[in-house]
């Protein structure tokens, strides 16, 4: 970089690598004026070129996150997905408490955009971004980012009642067929509703302070569900940062081992003559294989993640969950019956989860990262399912996927209030705002998989 000059109020000096034979670190001198950069200079610091440096832009300020990404509270990869790009809208979307993150940003600042440079890359539509930022201000003034504590208390209470009912039914009525199946149903519903609630907590939308969201999330997902909070946050934050972007959205990791997703990726796979599965039949085997594969994937990946990243508290709490469940149910039904009870519940939960989580994304555009603006990135990768009391409950309000992706920290009970404002923005700028029935959304998953499989087969045979 040469000598990077910093504004006088940035305080911290930036260290240079020592010269050959030197054992001491040198510091760049501090100047009264910041270093100025162009978008071309920023673009090459995407973490993929020589030196692997990662720069990003937030509100015209340039930050070097090369080393900080490993310490990033939201996960090491999510911040690096914006390396070489403008991250302003993503930063605002993910962080409600801006004062909390300023202490991190200050030491990462290396300069700012030159005065002749636009505030974002030339491929992004200025009027759309300006209107969206105005919309966010309106939503903040309307109080739509403030949680209703009574709503979330009732959500938490109802999942605890369901969880207790799953044990009480078996304890009181025994393990004849009907109470056994009723217990499985209660356990499955409780677990999926815990998943939706910890999702709220992971997005810091239940409490105003992130600290309390994190603490209760650990209680719900670690202790009540048996999954590590750090593992979920690491994966899910990446999904929100770059939804449906291959190699950046972990939800697409099923491509190409199990499924071929999206037209472009499917054609690319076919031309390379790669065939891990008979993708032209994937719309038929998705129903059975997708939830079946998810169960062992979750169980194996959580232990691998916790051990590799030394998340010992997460690991301890996950193990304690498994011990607790065994002690609760095995004395009532025996080990063999408990294995059927537990794993059948997990399979049903996985089926519920996979259909709800994928109905908004698989039928949408799936491609490599094109560095689109925040609104286009989210709208091209998400769609909604029509509102009803059942749909809201069944999906944990993920039927409002568009609003959730645009404003990930918004409490779910406010999505319906924001939806007309978002739709008006889309209408103004000619962006399609898709909303479907729940059944149509499920069927569209299969239609999309069928189309992708046909694109793969055509390229495989004739490409």
């Amino acid at each position: 970089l040469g000598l990077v000059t910093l504004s006088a109020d940035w305080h911290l000096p930036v260290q240079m690598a020592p010269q050959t034979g030197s054992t001491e670190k040198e510091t760049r001198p501090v100047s009264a004026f910041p270093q100025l950069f162009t978008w071309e200079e920023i673009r090459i610091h995407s973490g993929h070129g020589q030196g692997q440096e990662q720069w990003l832009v937030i509100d015209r300020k340039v930050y070097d996150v090369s080393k900080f990404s490993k310490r990033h509270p939201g996960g090491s990869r999510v911040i690096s997905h914006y390396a070489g790009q403008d991250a302003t809208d993503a930063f605002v979307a993910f962080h409600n408490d801006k004062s909390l993150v300023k202490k991190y940003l200050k030491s990462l600042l290396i300069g700012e955009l030159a005065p002749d440079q636009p505030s974002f890359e030339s491929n992004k539509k200025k009027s759309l971004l300006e209107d969206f930022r105005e919309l966010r201000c309106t939503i903040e003034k309307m109080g739509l980012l403030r949680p209703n504590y009574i709503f979330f208390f009732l959500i938490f209470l109802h999942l605890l009642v369901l969880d207790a009912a799953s044990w009480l039914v078996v304890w009181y009525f025994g393990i004849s067929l009907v109470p056994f199946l009723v217990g499985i149903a209660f356990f499955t519903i409780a677990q999926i509703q815990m998943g939706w609630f910890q999702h709220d907590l992971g997005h810091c939308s239940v409490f105003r302070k992130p600290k309390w969201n994190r603490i209760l999330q650990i209680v719900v997902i670690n202790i009540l569900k048996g999954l590590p909070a750090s593992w979920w946050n690491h994966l899910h934050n990446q999904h929100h940062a770059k939804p449906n972007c291959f190699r950046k959205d972990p939800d697409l990791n099923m491509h190409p081992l199990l499924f071929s997703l999206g037209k472009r990726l499917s054609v690319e796979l076919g031309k390379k003559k790669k065939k891990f599965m008979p993708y032209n039949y994937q719309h038929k085997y998705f129903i059975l294989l997708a939830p079946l594969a998810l169960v062992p994937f979750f169980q194996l990946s959580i232990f691998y993640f916790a051990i590799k990243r030394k998340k010992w508290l997460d690991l301890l709490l996950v193990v304690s969950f498994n011990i607790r469940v065994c002690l609760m149910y095995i004395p009532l039904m025996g080990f063999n019956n408990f294995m059927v009870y537990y794993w059948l519940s997990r399979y049903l939960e996985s089926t519920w989860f996979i259909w709800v989580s994928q109905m908004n994304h698989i039928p949408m555009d799936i491609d490599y990262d094109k560095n689109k603006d925040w609104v286009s990135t989210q709208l091209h990768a998400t769609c909604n399912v029509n509102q009803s009391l059942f749909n809201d409950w069944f999906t944990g309000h993920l039927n409002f996927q568009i609003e959730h992706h645009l404003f990930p920290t918004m409490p779910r009970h406010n999505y319906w209030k924001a939806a007309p404002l978002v739709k008006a923005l889309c209408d103004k700028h000619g962006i399609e705002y898709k909303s479907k029935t729940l059944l149509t959304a499920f069927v569209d998953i299969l239609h999309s998989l069928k189309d992708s499989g046909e694109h793969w087969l055509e390229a495989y045979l004739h490409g």
Side-chain angles (χ1 to χ4, degrees):
L1 296 176
L3 298 179
V4 176
T5 55
L6 302 177
S7 173
D9 62 348
W10 293 348
H11 301 301
L12 296 180
V14 181
Q15 294 179 331
M16 294 180 64
Q19 297 178 355
T20 304
S22 173
T23 59
E24 296 181 357
K25 292 183 178 180
E26 300 177 13
T27 59
R28 295 185 175 112
V30 177
S31 169
F33 301 99
Q35 178 76 14
L36 302 179
F37 298 104
T38 65
W39 279 112
E40 185 177 351
E41 291 174 295
I42 293 163
R43 194 176 299 116
I44 62 177
H45 292 84
S46 61
H48 302 296
Q50 187 177 4
Q52 303 295 307
E53 286 187 323
Q54 298 176 339
W55 295 0
L56 53 78
V57 177
I58 299 173
D59 196 21
R60 296 190 63 86
K61 298 291 191 296
V62 182
Y63 300 92
D64 184 345
V65 297
S66 308
K67 295 180 180 179
F68 173 74
S69 61
K70 296 179 181 179
R71 299 182 286 110
H72 180 231
S76 59
R77 293 185 182 177
V78 62
I79 194 170
S80 64
H81 289 339
Y82 275 89
Q85 302 176 9
D86 176 61
T88 303
D89 293 291
F91 172 81
V92 172
F94 280 113
H95 303 96
N96 272 345
D97 191 349
K98 305 300 184 296
S99 61
L100 181 66
V101 295
K102 282 182 179 179
K103 62 180 181 180
Y104 294 106
L105 288 177
K106 196 170 186 179
S107 62
L108 306 176
L109 189 60
I110 61 172
E112 61 185 45
L113 290 172
D116 63 338
Q117 296 293 300
S119 295
F120 35 80
E121 300 93 322
S122 59
N123 64 309
K124 297 177 180 177
K125 190 176 178 182
K126 180 180 179 182
S127 59
L128 174 60
L129 280 176
E130 289 176 344
D131 286 348
F132 173 73
R133 291 172 183 178
E134 184 177 342
L135 171 61
R136 183 176 177 90
C137 291
T138 300
I139 281 175
E140 289 177 351
K141 291 176 182 177
M142 291 174 64
L144 299 186
L145 299 183
R146 291 198 294 268
N148 182 324
Y149 295 129
I150 296 176
F151 172 87
F152 285 114
F153 172 77
L154 293 175
I155 291 290
F156 188 44
L157 181 63
H158 109 284
L159 64 87
L160 291 179
V161 170
L162 288 166
D163 192 46
S166 66
W167 183 83
L168 288 170
V169 166
V170 177
W171 172 76
Y172 187 79
F173 293 101
I175 58 169
S176 57
L177 183 60
V178 172
F180 189 80
L181 294 178
V182 171
I184 288 175
F186 278 139
F187 189 82
T188 301
I189 296 170
Q191 287 294 306
I192 198 71
Q193 290 298 327
M194 288 176 191
W196 304 148
F197 184 56
Q198 77 81 27
H199 173 261
D200 298 321
L201 293 162
H203 282 292
C204 296
S205 61
V206 177
F207 299 102
R208 299 294 296 274
K209 290 186 176 296
K211 175 184 176 181
W212 295 111
N213 286 285
R214 299 304 183 203
I215 291 173
L216 188 54
Q217 185 192 23
I218 290 172
V219 172
V220 175
I221 190 171
N222 289 51
I223 299 175
L224 299 181
K225 276 193 66 64
L227 298 173
S230 58
W231 166 81
W232 183 88
N233 291 329
H234 173 74
L235 295 176
H236 195 67
N237 287 339
Q238 292 183 71
H239 163 70
H240 269 269
K242 294 289 184 178
N244 280 15
C245 294
F246 187 50
R247 296 201 179 101
K248 290 191 174 182
D249 182 356
D251 285 11
L252 301 183
N253 287 347
M254 64 184 92
H255 173 96
L257 188 59
L258 297 178
F259 304 99
S260 183
L261 303 175
K263 179 179 179 180
R264 178 174 175 178
L265 299 182
S266 298
V267 171
E268 183 182 83
L269 200 64
K271 288 182 177 180
K272 292 179 179 178
K273 308 302 179 185
K274 290 187 176 182
K275 181 183 179 182
F276 296 97
M277 295 287 287
Y279 302 121
N280 48 312
Y281 296 109
Q282 64 183 0
H283 58 293
K284 297 181 179 180
Y285 64 72
F286 173 86
I287 297 173
L288 177 66
L289 184 59
L292 192 63
L294 198 64
V295 174
F297 168 75
F298 274 13
Q299 297 302 316
L300 293 174
S301 63
I302 60 176
F303 288 103
Y304 174 78
F305 178 90
I307 293 171
K308 181 181 178 182
R309 295 176 180 262
K310 300 180 180 179
K311 302 291 184 178
W312 305 125
L313 177 60
D314 276 341
L315 184 60
L316 177 64
L317 295 176
V318 168
V319 171
S320 71
F321 163 83
N322 287 281
I323 294 173
R324 176 180 64 83
V325 172
C326 288
L327 292 176
M328 287 176 63
Y329 286 95
I330 291 177
L332 297 180
M333 60 180 62
F335 181 78
N336 290 338
N337 287 327
F338 171 67
M339 286 292 99
V340 175
Y341 184 96
Y342 182 81
W343 291 113
L344 180 56
S345 297
R346 285 305 192 198
Y347 177 76
L348 293 173
E349 178 195 357
S350 177
T351 302
W352 189 336
F353 172 81
I354 203 77
W355 283 91
V356 169
S357 63
Q358 298 307 312
M359 68 182 182
N360 309 99
H361 296 299
I362 282 184
M364 305 302 289
D365 293 341
I366 298 175
D367 208 333
Y368 294 95
D369 181 17
K370 294 182 178 178
N371 188 20
K372 298 177 181 177
D373 60 82
W374 178 254
V375 180
S376 300
T377 295
Q378 306 303 329
L379 264 295
H380 292 169
T382 58
C383 65
N384 278 5
V385 168
N386 299 342
Q387 184 188 25
S388 70
L389 289 176
F390 174 78
N391 287 353
D392 291 351
W393 175 83
F394 184 78
T395 67
H397 285 83
L398 293 181
N399 49 327
F400 287 98
Q401 195 72 229
I402 292 173
E403 287 70 31
H404 173 55
H405 268 256
L406 288 175
F407 309 100
T409 62
M410 178 182 289
R412 58 160 127 159
H413 53 75
N414 286 332
Y415 292 156
W416 68 276
K417 297 178 183 177
L421 303 177
V422 173
K423 191 174 186 305
L425 176 72
C426 293
D427 290 342
K428 178 178 179 180
H429 292 275
I431 301 174
E432 186 176 11
Y433 182 101
K434 287 188 178 181
S435 188
K436 316 169 182 178
T437 66
L438 185 63
L439 180 60
T440 300
F442 287 163
V443 172
D444 280 352
I445 295 176
L446 303 181
H447 286 164
S448 178
L449 290 170
K450 186 174 186 294
D451 289 343
S452 297
E454 290 173 351
H455 287 305
W456 167 82
L457 184 63
E458 177 67 22
Y460 186 84
L461 296 176
H462 308 295

